[in-house]
Structures are given as C-alpha cells and as structure tokens.
Amino acid sequence: MKRTASRPPDRAGGVVELIGLHKAFGDRTVVDGIDLRIPGGEFFSLLGPSGCGKTTTLRMLAGFDDPTGGTILIDQQDMAGIPAHRRPTNTVFQSYALFPHLTVAENVAYGLRWHRRGGRDDSTGKVSSAERERRVREALDLVELAPYAAGRVQQLSGGQQQRVALARALVLRPSVLLLDEPLGALDARLRKNLREELLRLQRTVGTTFVFVTHDQEEALEMSDRIAVMDQGRVVQCGTPREVYESPQSEFVADFLGVANLLDGHLLERSRGSRGPSEVRIGDFTVPATCAADTAPGPVRVVVRPERIRLEPRGKKGVPVHTLPCVVDRLVYVGATTQVMARLPHGPALRVLVVNDSDRDLLTPGTPALVSCAPEAIRILSKDT
C-alpha cells in the first residue's frame, strides 16, 4: 500500500470533471449520477466489482459511449458531441490490439500517421516524418523498449507487448490516459513488476491517468486517489489510506482488503466526555472511533486483521482493553500467518501475525488475548 514515488506538481492540463454522469441501456441503469473532479497529473483509480459501472464510465470519458445524462469536462471543455479521435485522451485496453505484421516502432507510430496536433509540415496537417520518428524514439525510451524497435511484436513477452501498447498511447501526448484493466491478462508476478513500471511511467510523463481495476491491491499501490464504485455510484472517494483505514460503509470495508465485520452496540457517551467512544461486542466493552454524530445503538464494527495484536494470556504489560480468545485455525501465507481467533460466545476474528513473532501462540486450541488501538476499531452506523 505504500507509494514508491513522490507525486509531481499538478499540471495545468488533464483536469477531468464528471458532473451528474448517467448511463442507461434501456431500463437498466449502469452509471447513476457520478460527480468527480480529477486534478491534472493525478493517478486516479476507479475500483469496484464487475458490473459496478467503472468501465462504462471510462468508455464515456473516451467517447466510445454517449452519456444519457450529465456532463464530461476535460480542461473545462465540454466533451458532448466530440468523437473519440478528437478528444485529448487515449485508451489502453486489457487486450493490446497490436498489429502483428508491423514492427514495434511501426505499432507505436501508427496513430501519428493521422495525428493533427504539432509537428505539421504540409497542408494535410499531419505530423512530419522527422517529428514522428523522434517521438517514437522518445516513447520507446520511456518504456525501455528502444532495442526492440525493429523487431516484431510476436517476439515480445506479454509484459513487453503491454509496454508497446502504453508507448503507442503516450506517443500522441494525450492530456488524459485511460487504462481499462491493462494488467488483467498477465500472470501475478508480471503484474507486480508492471505496476511499478506503470507508476514510474506516470510520474515521469506527468499525464493524468484514469485507471480502471477490480484489484484492490493494484489500486492501493498506485493511486493518488481511489473512487470505490458499487451499482453505478461512487460510494467513497479518497486517498488509499483514507478509503482503507476509514471506510464509510460496510461495502467499502469488505471490498477493499480483508476486514472483520462484527455486530456491536455503541454506548451513549457521558456528558463532557472527551475520550474515545465505547462499543459493546458480546459481553465485552472496548474503546472505538466513530463520527461525532453517530447515534448510540446497534452498529457494525470494522477491524482490519493487521491492526489486531495477539498476546498470550497472563502476559504482563498487555493493553487494558483486551478480549479473551482461543486460537481456532491457522492459514500460512508465507511472510504472515492468518489466525482465526474465536471469542467467547461470539464470532471468530481474523488476525494477521508476522512470522517472526512468538510461534508458541500459533497452535490451535491455545488460549490467548486480542487487542487493538481505539483508532483501529471503526464504527459504521447500522443503516450503512
């Protein structure tokens, strides 16, 4: 989840605004009133499950689909009626759509043959041959594929082909680059490597990236901000840390990473109290964090597994607010072990334990204690 590159200053161009954006196919609403503003130079992700409307939103931005309502502005220009090839955008798809009969350089140069912005040397307004060659070299250098310029795309790996597709999109110098699950067809290790490459590339060129994915790890690792979508709506928008650590709904908490979701009862605060709120879970009361206007009563409690500490019973110096548990089940996942810790007369908590810790606790049937800081226990009102 930690970003590996610093964010550049906002660019003057590439500002995207969606105002009341709506799309319906017949009587089926796919995008239901989206309002978003994406500053220039931001890496922005649309994240959500299949069918949530994220790809349709991207297609309307690109000009492939027309909205049935609302407005799309790019650098304050209304995109209504402007076809895809005239918009200051370009799109990279999951399928690379490369031409096998052309060389790598010819694939990258393909769009420049009909480009009408900059480098003009004749009455048709096309980019000159010299300008085209220079920009192709720059694009291939950017994606570190210059040595393969004369080769055929079939000779490249899947990751290299995806970088050719990125170079072909970037060579047109779009204000906004749209990416529709571009890493979805690659294996896990290659996806990890290309995530780092994609982030480096975006930081280098400073172009606004709008990235569509259903992979929460991709979105958390690369994005400046994330819009989590469900049923055609944006249900939460914020930085990766905000949406992960402070989910505003049960859907966001459950979709974005792994979460323990528990039923609880928020206790009424005493007058003048300045400490954290308190929530009752089963027979136990623990401090928790919630919005100031959250009403006392039934609530849902959200706790991330990595924020829970597992301690042996009887250990000195453990936090005051602890819950007794019994280790129920273990799942070894390499660097960590997922521990299912069952509470008395209650649900099991998923706890993430780093594998350099005390392994005496990691035995099914072992009595233990669980605890976490009040700020790690988030309260959602029941109606969310």
Side-chain angles (χ1 to χ4, degrees):
M1 290 184 288
K2 186 176 180 180
R3 304 288 308 254
T4 56
S6 60
R7 181 181 173 188
D10 284 349
R11 289 160 32 104
V15 179
V16 176
E17 295 176 83
L18 308 180
I19 305 169
L21 193 64
H22 184 275
K23 179 65 177 179
F25 295 99
D27 60 356
R28 184 170 66 96
T29 298
V30 180
V31 175
D32 191 10
I34 289 179
D35 293 290
L36 285 174
R37 186 182 188 278
I38 305 172
E42 187 168 73
F43 197 122
F44 189 88
S45 290
L46 297 173
L47 174 68
S50 298
C52 71
K54 57 188 185 294
T55 293
T56 301
T57 301
L58 197 81
R59 289 181 60 83
M60 287 190 283
L61 254 175
F64 302 140
D65 290 337
D66 294 324
T68 50
T71 304
I72 297 173
L73 303 177
I74 298 180
D75 293 331
Q76 299 184 329
Q77 181 182 5
D78 194 337
M79 293 292 106
I82 299 179
H85 67 281
R86 293 294 184 188
R87 297 191 180 195
T89 62
N90 213 334
T91 307
V92 178
F93 299 99
Q94 183 174 333
S95 59
Y96 316 134
L98 302 176
F99 299 107
H101 63 286
L102 300 180
T103 66
V104 169
E106 289 168 343
N107 267 279
V108 174
Y110 186 81
L112 286 173
R113 295 179 181 274
W114 294 275
H115 197 46
R116 296 294 194 273
R117 295 200 303 262
R120 299 172 180 175
D121 66 351
D122 56 39
S123 60
T124 66
K126 292 183 179 180
V127 175
S128 68
S129 297
E131 173 74 358
R132 187 164 61 244
E133 290 177 8
R134 183 182 67 81
R135 286 169 63 173
V136 168
R137 284 197 305 271
E138 289 178 351
L140 288 175
D141 283 338
L142 195 63
V143 297
E144 300 179 348
L145 286 178
Y148 301 90
R152 299 285 181 178
V153 293
Q154 308 101 300
Q155 299 170 330
L156 302 180
S157 67
Q160 290 171 324
Q161 290 183 31
Q162 185 59 277
R163 280 152 56 187
V164 174
L166 284 166
R168 184 178 59 185
L170 289 169
V171 78
L172 297 179
R173 296 175 180 169
S175 297
V176 182
L177 185 64
L178 309 173
L179 302 108
D180 187 9
E181 305 204 46
L183 310 181
L186 305 174
D187 63 66
R189 183 171 182 176
L190 190 52
R191 287 177 70 152
K192 178 68 175 176
N193 291 339
L194 276 180
R195 288 205 296 264
E196 298 172 0
E197 286 292 316
L198 198 58
L199 182 57
R200 176 194 63 81
L201 189 62
Q202 195 269 339
R203 291 306 183 235
T204 300
V205 299
T207 300
T208 304
F209 277 27
V210 181
F211 184 80
V212 161
T213 182
H214 64 272
D215 188 317
Q216 54 93 10
E217 186 177 331
E218 284 183 356
L220 290 171
E221 181 177 332
M222 295 190 292
S223 309
D224 292 309
R225 287 190 305 144
I226 300 170
V228 184
M229 295 186 64
D230 182 38
Q231 299 182 26
R233 298 180 180 181
V234 173
V235 292
Q236 187 170 349
C237 183
T239 66
R241 182 179 293 274
E242 288 169 348
V243 294
Y244 183 82
E245 294 188 1
S246 304
Q248 295 175 358
S249 69
E250 187 171 333
F251 172 82
V252 175
D254 196 32
F255 182 78
L256 203 66
V258 179
N260 292 294
L261 295 165
L262 311 171
D263 287 318
H265 190 96
L266 183 63
L267 303 182
E268 189 167 0
R269 295 169 65 96
S270 59
R271 182 172 296 181
S273 174
R274 295 185 179 181
S277 300
E278 290 190 320
V279 62
R280 194 162 186 80
I281 302 173
D283 296 329
F284 303 94
T285 299
V286 294
T289 300
C290 65
D293 59 351
T294 305
V299 291
R300 289 287 273 172
V301 181
V302 180
V303 191
R304 297 291 185 187
E306 68 274 12
R307 300 297 298 274
I308 303 175
R309 294 182 60 186
L310 191 65
E311 306 280 3
R313 290 197 192 175
K315 180 181 177 180
K316 295 182 179 180
V318 298
V320 174
H321 296 284
T322 59
L323 302 182
C325 68
V326 174
V327 174
D328 186 34
R329 185 164 53 88
L330 309 173
V331 180
Y332 178 81
V333 288
T336 59
T337 295
Q338 293 181 9
V339 180
M340 298 303 293
R342 187 161 298 282
L343 302 177
H345 312 294
L349 289 177
R350 183 180 282 107
V351 184
L352 205 60
V353 178
V354 178
N355 281 336
D356 63 357
S357 59
D358 184 0
R359 298 192 58 84
D360 291 340
L361 280 174
L362 303 185
T363 304
T366 304
L369 297 170
V370 290
S371 66
C372 60
E375 61 269 18
I377 305 175
R378 309 292 304 189
I379 303 298
L380 304 173
S381 59
K382 198 72 169 179
D383 58 2
T384 59

